[in-house]
Amino acid sequence: MTTRKTRAPGKSPSSTKTVAANAAWGGRFAVGPAEIMQRINASLDVDKRLYAQDIAGSLAHCAMLVKRRIIPRQDGAAIARGLAKIRLEIERGHFPFRIEHEDIHLNIEARLAELIGPSAGRLHTARSRNDQVATDFRLWVRDAIDRLDRETAALQAALIQQAERHAATIMPGFTHLQVGQPVTFGHHLLAYVEMLGRDRGRFNDARGRLNESPLGAGALAGTSFPIDRAMTAKALGFDRPAANSLDAVSDRDFALEFLAAAAIAGMHLSRFAEEIILWVSEPFRFVRLSDAYTTGSSMMPQKRNPDAAELVRAKAGKLIGALTGLLVVMKGLPLAYAKDMQEDKATVFDAADTLSLCLAAMTGIVKDMKADKTAMRRVAASGFSTATDLADFLVRHLQLPFRQAHHVTGALVARAEALGCDLADLPLGEMQRVEKRITRAIYKVLTVEQSVASRKSLGGTAPTNVTRAAASARQRFLPKGR
């Protein structure tokens, strides 16, 4: 192995360091890389998370090579034993990771050579690191999607449980953060169940498209060996081999789709976190959180801060930034592979970790929160929130066109505001000054309870609807027994 002397950063020219040429491509190069080149080129600290997928891909590739009689059976058996030992070493924390081997793939290959000798070199027959990395990364993202799906379902389960408990708990429904109409707390929570269901759908769609195997595409042009790509695809749980070798090694759409789904999911969690933050504030006091999901102040001893929700809100920015970052990396790359694409995994790994943490935090918050029904109802009854019910009454009972009913109701709201009372407290005589045909029956529709009970249209907030909707959500979104 050839070496060369390089100057270490910050050292005088007389200070030298010997750097070995990379074993994977050293035959073409007379000397090894500069130390800074080795540092910028290495990805081991990031991609060692791919070890399980890399070993699985190598085992499938090895089995195919043996079956196709491309490598001897005894070499294949030795490779399989060596890979199994390497997996145990990594899982038990005994694996000798070496930065000079650049990435997880070369670290495993080098260790395999130490364990079984020259036979290890046969494993890379008909394979490039380009299709190897693309295969490993797809397997990892697929596993991450499956894990996140379970975690999102757990949050849905917590929301559904609270929705069932609060199917008839009245709270204000807002538009423009102004009181609009009364709704139920259960109905509000089920809105997030639907959002999370779409998030799971997006991840599942991405999973379906990524489930093609790049293995066997080689560096970019395929291989002259008589390989069986369908065999390795099936062994690794892929639906089929990728159709085009150039596309197979250069495609990162699956990573971008994953990040897009994660960014949208993070946005949904951020919206919910913002509502939690509002709800626990003193002006609202709709819900309470225990010590488990709040923090205190170093100066103000009375404070209980919703830091978990605030951090979820903030971390949505990381997820959105991850998508933007990888889009910028990929936007100018010609086919097929370029080293720029090494930057894909850190972005995706961090996004997966971030979203997983946010899902866990929000699941804990939902299970922990306690609704203050009195505070919710008080605000729900404010702001003339039953004005729409009054307008609907005028349409149904007086046969007014809705626009005219809307105008009459607006005048009644203005009168109630001038007198400093709610619509339910506005005297009948005052109402009849605006519309003489109004009868005392109007007061039956002006309570918040009657308002929510009347909203029985599909998707409406009536407690009976909410109970049915929660049961339907369980059936649609949750595995049996959850």
Side-chain angles (χ1 to χ4, degrees):
M1 181 179 289
T2 56
T3 62
R4 72 169 174 180
K5 294 181 177 180
T6 62
R7 189 192 316 174
K11 300 291 184 179
S12 67
S14 60
S15 299
T16 60
K17 184 174 286 190
T18 301
V19 179
N22 190 301
W25 40 261
R28 169 64 177 84
F29 289 75
V31 295
E35 184 182 24
I36 190 63
M37 175 60 189
Q38 186 179 55
R39 286 167 53 199
I40 196 172
N41 194 49
S43 60
L44 178 60
D45 285 347
V46 172
D47 62 30
K48 62 185 177 183
R49 292 181 65 165
L50 295 172
Y51 80 88
Q53 290 78 18
D54 192 74
I55 291 171
S58 291
L59 286 170
H61 185 66
C62 177
M64 182 274 296
L65 292 176
V66 169
K67 185 173 182 179
R68 298 293 293 172
R69 299 183 179 179
I70 296 171
I71 68 172
R73 185 172 298 276
Q74 60 270 26
D75 286 341
I79 289 168
R81 287 194 301 273
L83 290 173
K85 180 175 175 59
I86 289 169
R87 178 164 188 152
L88 281 176
E89 288 180 344
I90 295 174
E91 289 174 347
R92 294 173 178 174
H94 300 152
F95 185 83
F97 290 106
R98 296 191 177 95
I99 191 67
E100 64 267 22
H101 291 317
E102 190 176 314
D103 57 30
I104 186 61
H105 322 289
L106 292 184
N107 265 266
I108 289 175
E109 186 176 327
R111 179 59 178 153
L112 187 63
E114 293 174 357
L115 292 173
I116 69 171
S119 295
R122 297 191 184 278
L123 177 60
H124 212 57
T125 306
R127 184 174 73 171
S128 163
R129 264 194 303 173
N130 290 359
D131 61 332
Q132 183 181 1
V133 169
T135 301
D136 294 355
F137 196 19
R138 282 177 186 251
L139 289 172
W140 192 95
V141 171
R142 192 177 71 186
D143 290 343
I145 288 173
D146 292 345
R147 183 182 70 254
L148 289 167
D149 184 75
R150 293 190 296 271
E151 294 168 351
T152 307
L155 176 53
Q156 286 180 299
L159 286 164
I160 290 169
Q161 186 174 45
Q162 286 278 26
E164 290 169 333
R165 186 177 299 137
H166 294 287
T169 299
I170 294 172
M171 71 173 294
F174 296 98
T175 62
H176 306 276
L177 208 54
Q178 305 296 310
V179 175
Q181 292 176 278
V183 296
T184 66
F185 191 36
H187 188 61
H188 194 113
L189 296 177
L190 288 177
Y192 285 101
V193 173
E194 296 297 325
M195 293 183 207
L196 294 168
R198 294 194 295 274
D199 292 328
R200 292 175 67 187
R202 273 181 281 271
F203 277 119
N204 189 56
D205 289 345
R207 191 190 194 283
R209 274 184 291 277
L210 75 77
N211 210 34
E212 296 183 346
S213 174
L215 196 56
L220 74 161
T223 178
S224 59
F225 289 96
I227 62 173
D228 185 346
R229 292 189 61 209
M231 177 183 171
T232 52
K234 183 178 179 180
L236 294 170
F238 288 112
D239 294 332
R240 65 191 69 84
N244 182 283
S245 60
L246 281 165
D247 181 56
V249 299
S250 64
D251 168 47
R252 291 300 183 271
D253 288 0
F254 66 94
L256 290 167
E257 284 194 62
F258 176 85
L259 292 175
I264 295 171
M267 176 270 293
H268 287 153
L269 295 179
S270 180
R271 293 183 72 181
F272 189 30
E274 170 67 9
E275 295 210 285
I276 294 288
I277 293 162
L278 290 173
W279 292 346
V280 301
S281 67
E282 193 63 29
F284 282 79
R285 300 192 69 177
F286 288 177
V287 301
R288 294 187 302 277
L289 296 177
S290 74
D291 294 352
Y293 289 93
T294 55
T295 65
S297 166
S298 62
M299 177 179 284
M300 298 168 284
Q302 83 282 8
K303 293 294 294 297
R304 184 188 293 274
N305 301 321
D307 283 9
E310 290 174 356
L311 288 166
V312 168
R313 183 176 59 180
K315 289 180 185 298
K318 290 182 67 177
L319 296 170
I320 295 166
L323 171 60
T324 303
L326 187 56
L327 282 168
V328 172
V329 168
M330 295 300 299
K331 72 174 182 63
L333 298 186
L335 297 180
Y337 179 82
K339 197 69 170 183
D340 311 51
M341 292 163 70
Q342 181 170 290
E343 296 301 306
D344 56 2
K345 284 168 283 296
T347 300
V348 170
F349 292 165
D350 184 61
D353 291 345
T354 297
L355 182 55
S356 180
L357 180 60
C358 290
L359 287 166
M362 291 308 293
T363 301
I365 287 172
V366 170
K367 290 180 177 180
D368 183 71
M369 68 182 182
K370 300 291 187 295
D372 187 328
K373 297 180 181 181
T374 301
M376 285 184 173
R377 191 198 180 285
R378 182 179 64 252
V379 179
S382 68
F384 309 105
S385 65
T386 58
T388 305
D389 299 275
L390 194 158
D392 290 345
F393 175 90
L394 297 176
V395 170
R396 282 196 304 269
H397 292 271
L398 302 186
Q399 304 300 310
L400 295 182
F402 181 78
R403 283 302 172 201
Q404 184 180 348
H406 186 284
H407 179 79
V408 169
T409 302
L412 292 172
V413 168
R415 187 57 184 160
E417 192 171 40
L419 295 175
C421 67
D422 292 328
L423 283 173
D425 299 319
L426 189 63
L428 180 61
E430 292 290 340
M431 291 192 181
Q432 291 173 337
R433 287 177 60 187
V434 176
E435 170 52 62
K436 64 181 180 181
R437 290 179 293 167
I438 293 177
T439 67
R440 191 166 295 280
I442 191 73
Y443 293 105
K444 293 180 180 179
V445 303
L446 296 183
T447 67
V448 291
E449 287 77 13
Q450 177 58 33
S451 177
V452 297
S454 70
R455 307 293 172 184
K456 294 180 179 179
S457 59
L458 181 64
T461 190
T464 53
N465 279 24
V466 174
T467 298
R468 287 195 298 268
S472 173
R474 278 194 181 279
Q475 187 175 17
R476 286 185 292 137
F477 294 126
L478 302 182
K480 289 183 180 180
R482 184 180 289 276

